[in-house]
Amino acid sequence: MSERRLAPDSRVSANGALFISVVCGLALAAGLLQVQLQAQEPAEQDAEAALSEEEMDVARQLITSDAGPACAVCHQLAAAEATGTLGPSLDQLKPDAQTVRAALLEGPGVMPEYGDKLTMEQMELISAYVAAVAGGGQP
Amino acid sequence: MDTPVVHRRHFLIGAAGVAVASTVPGMGGLAFAQEAIGTQAPTTPLPDYASWKKPEAMIVHTELTLETRRPFIGTSSVVPSNILFVRNNLEPPDSAIVADADAWEVAFEGVAQPRTMTVRELKQLGIATVPTVLQCSGNGRGLFDHEASGSPWLTGAAGCVVWSGVPLRAVVDALGGVAEGARFVTNTGGEVIPEGIDANEVLVERSVPIENVDTIILAWEMNGEPVPLAHGGPLRVIVPGYYGVNNVKYVKRIAFTEAESEADIQQTGYRVRPVGESGAPDQPSMWQMKVKSWVTHPVVETPSGPIQIHGVAFGGINPVQRVEVSTDDGQSWQEAQLLDPDLGRYAWRSFVLPVELPSGTYSITSRATDSEGNVQEQTTEPNHRGYDYSGWDRLAVEVTVL
């Protein structure tokens, strides 16, 4: 996974760096848990718990209008009232955070690459949010 | 005969469910092997536009990506439409477009007399029938170790089907010939792109070198029926020997252009590059397919005694010359028989090798050679997007002879 855009991006704030360290910790934990998948569900719940109400609002805002193009133009995600049908439904796909992040960075098929449109912080936020609300992390 | 040691690593890649199976007590290796090659029951329903597919034959990755389970591929060359894989880059247009297929319009540009023609008019210009292998660029993505984004296809994003339509050459001739300076045929899909997005970011528009003008057909028929919506009806561009993405569905514009399409799917998408690099126009485009084969039977287990090992092989733009089969993980090879009929250079060829194997576990794989002497590679080096795993190493199946 390329993270080449992370370091030089001045848009990553100090808060962002803190957030990224938290998310990276979670990602590391998630990686370890691939060996012990029985523990995956608690990890998803941790990811959801890691998002404050304010962060979830920011994620929803990115998904529905600010991502440029907004995720909601093409994808369905009921929790964010996203109703796009051009691409796969996130509610049906239920991706984990790593899958969302990879899709944002790589732009599979005709999906745009978001590496030069969003900060790493924003992509991590979207990934954590989507995994939490569509990825099976609901309580 | 010794029972060979087999590589299990490639069975462990892909959906989380596979790994779960391997960690749940009481579920042995056989269970995850079955799931990895797709012999277990489907868990996700078929999308409406493809509801006519045979559910037990399909792996539903997303509503836009449906894979054919490996053992469902038979030996009579043509894959039935109801088990053919589907890879749509975007949601298909409304099904009304296939209800009145003859009225579908295509704009021809970059010719002496540019104009729009209906399918009805195209049907008056000529007919050719061409069997081709349709293979998604990402076929085999699930066999790479790096977790490239996109559906983790195994072998089932491919199928050999028969197309009927008008040769592009006949259309060009009717329109006065190609404009001077054209170097590409640029084809635009008819998907409806919503507000709020720059069209070039998601537009399905692919350019192929103009040399293909003599082999391209504009197909309205597939396997003896009007092309279904799921496969690009009313009209689909067929570029024989080229990866699926170039075979634009619902084609609404065909232009002879000096430059490749400006759409992202052409400029930066479907470009082969090392892992970690961004896509760029100077990297190789996913155009011509490579020589490739794989075994489709047996794939999990089989009774001891006489066994007919069979599979499929194709050479991209070249016909298949020979296929060899190994039952010991590539240590030794035996010449397989190519089955008739030979449907031409762009089709795949079924092959068979009769063997007798005592009880044990075997790593069975195949290796094709095309008419130009190109031999199917042993392994496929990782590429960023996980395109076309063709190596016979990981295309092998682990088979238990009971």
Side-chain angles (χ1 to χ4, degrees):
Chain A
M1 181 62 59
S2 166
E3 301 193 356
R4 63 202 175 283
R5 297 184 181 94
L6 180 56
D9 194 331
S10 59
R11 289 175 293 176
V12 178
S13 64
N15 281 343
L18 176 62
F19 177 78
I20 286 165
S21 68
V22 171
V23 172
C24 287
L26 285 172
L28 178 63
L32 293 172
L33 287 171
Q34 285 187 336
V35 194
Q36 299 179 341
L37 272 173
Q38 294 89 334
Q40 188 175 19
E41 220 164 291
E44 295 286 359
Q45 284 165 7
D46 286 351
E48 185 180 24
L51 293 179
S52 66
E53 279 302 317
E54 187 183 1
E55 286 170 325
M56 291 179 68
D57 284 344
V58 173
R60 275 190 291 266
Q61 182 75 16
L62 285 166
I63 287 167
T64 54
S65 70
D66 291 356
C71 316
V73 173
C74 296
H75 297 288
Q76 182 183 313
L77 185 65
E81 297 179 358
T83 56
T85 55
L86 200 59
S89 161
L90 297 172
D91 285 324
Q92 185 179 316
L93 195 58
K94 295 181 171 51
D96 59 22
Q98 188 185 350
T99 301
V100 179
R101 192 178 68 141
L104 288 166
L105 282 166
E106 290 185 38
V110 293
M111 179 171 160
E113 290 182 29
Y114 283 84
D116 54 359
K117 302 171 190 289
L118 297 172
T119 64
M120 203 66 201
E121 175 192 10
Q122 289 172 319
M123 286 188 279
E124 295 292 6
L125 191 53
I126 291 171
S127 304
Y129 176 77
V130 172
V133 301
Q138 292 93 335
Chain B
M1 184 181 293
D2 292 338
T3 300
V5 176
V6 299
H7 298 298
R8 285 174 164 270
R9 182 172 47 154
H10 52 285
F11 293 122
L12 291 166
I13 299 164
V18 177
V20 168
S22 67
T23 57
V24 173
M27 294 186 72
L30 186 59
F32 67 72
Q34 283 175 322
E35 179 152 347
I37 59 174
T39 57
Q40 290 193 339
T43 52
T44 311
L46 294 165
D48 288 346
Y49 72 92
S51 60
W52 50 275
K53 295 278 175 181
K54 192 175 188 175
E56 63 270 31
M58 312 305 294
I59 303 167
V60 181
H61 292 294
T62 74
E63 61 264 54
L64 299 179
T65 48
L66 318 178
E67 172 164 5
T68 310
R69 292 174 189 272
R70 187 164 179 165
F72 280 82
I73 297 295
T75 49
S76 43
S77 303
V78 174
V79 172
S81 301
N82 69 348
I83 66 166
L84 181 64
F85 81 102
V86 176
R87 196 287 180 254
N88 253 45
N89 265 298
L90 300 172
E91 177 188 29
D94 193 288
S95 60
I97 66 172
V98 287
D100 190 8
D102 282 353
W104 181 256
E105 292 183 337
V106 191
F108 291 91
E109 300 171 16
V111 289
Q113 296 139 29
R115 58 164 292 202
T116 295
M117 299 181 83
T118 60
V119 169
R120 187 176 290 107
E121 290 172 287
L122 291 172
K123 286 181 173 177
Q124 297 175 314
L125 295 181
I127 294 181
T129 296
V130 186
T132 73
V133 173
L134 202 57
Q135 180 183 217
C136 178
S137 301
N139 200 28
R141 179 176 291 127
L143 300 176
F144 287 101
D145 285 332
H146 69 295
E147 294 185 7
S149 186
S151 293
W153 306 101
L154 299 169
T155 59
C160 182
V161 288
V162 183
W163 307 97
S164 240
V166 63
L168 181 56
R169 170 56 71 189
V171 183
V172 167
D173 289 347
L175 298 178
V178 173
E180 202 173 320
R183 294 171 53 227
F184 298 95
V185 188
T186 297
N187 305 299
T188 313
E191 291 92 345
V192 180
I193 295 173
E195 301 277 325
I197 192 164
D198 172 7
N200 269 345
E201 290 195 293
V202 296
L203 187 68
V204 178
E205 184 174 271
R206 288 286 297 177
S207 301
V208 295
I210 199 167
E211 290 73 35
N212 294 285
V213 68
D214 290 316
T215 55
I216 289 173
I217 68 165
L218 311 180
W220 51 74
E221 195 174 298
M222 184 186 91
N223 287 352
E225 297 173 310
V227 181
L229 186 72
H231 296 294
L235 195 70
R236 182 168 190 177
V237 175
I238 300 302
V239 188
Y242 277 52
Y243 287 101
V245 68
N246 303 289
N247 297 256
V248 173
K249 298 177 174 182
Y250 338 105
V251 62
K252 67 175 185 184
R253 172 179 173 266
I254 295 172
F256 293 88
T257 56
E258 293 183 16
E260 295 180 41
S261 167
E262 286 298 312
D264 286 357
I265 195 174
Q266 182 75 25
Q267 291 291 315
T268 57
Y270 295 87
R271 298 281 175 177
V272 184
R273 70 270 194 185
V275 175
E277 278 190 21
S278 289
D282 62 349
Q283 298 154 348
S285 194
M286 289 300 283
W287 279 338
Q288 292 178 1
M289 295 189 290
K290 298 183 281 188
V291 61
K292 185 172 182 180
S293 70
W294 60 88
V295 167
T296 55
H297 174 85
V299 294
V300 178
E301 62 180 33
T302 190
S304 58
I307 300 165
Q308 305 290 327
I309 297 175
H310 61 74
V312 292
F314 58 97
I317 61 164
N318 300 315
V320 170
Q321 186 75 37
R322 64 186 294 215
V323 178
E324 301 153 286
V325 168
S326 173
T327 58
D328 56 7
D329 205 25
Q331 294 172 52
S332 65
W333 298 88
Q334 289 174 267
E335 191 88 14
Q337 178 197 346
L338 300 182
L339 293 178
D340 286 331
D342 178 353
L343 294 180
R345 65 191 303 126
Y346 305 117
W348 71 24
R349 196 87 188 259
S350 296
F351 63 85
V352 65
L353 177 72
V355 294
E356 287 217 28
L357 296 173
S359 297
T361 304
Y362 299 84
S363 178
I364 301 178
T365 194
S366 61
R367 179 172 72 183
T369 304
D370 74 12
S371 61
E372 300 300 304
N374 299 305
V375 182
Q376 181 177 353
E377 58 204 15
Q378 177 171 350
T379 194
T380 300
E381 290 303 313
N383 64 80
H384 186 71
R385 295 288 305 113
Y387 291 135
D388 195 3
Y389 196 97
S390 301
W392 54 255
D393 55 357
R394 295 188 181 188
L395 287 166
V397 279
E398 179 189 338
V399 175
T400 302
V401 176
L402 300 172

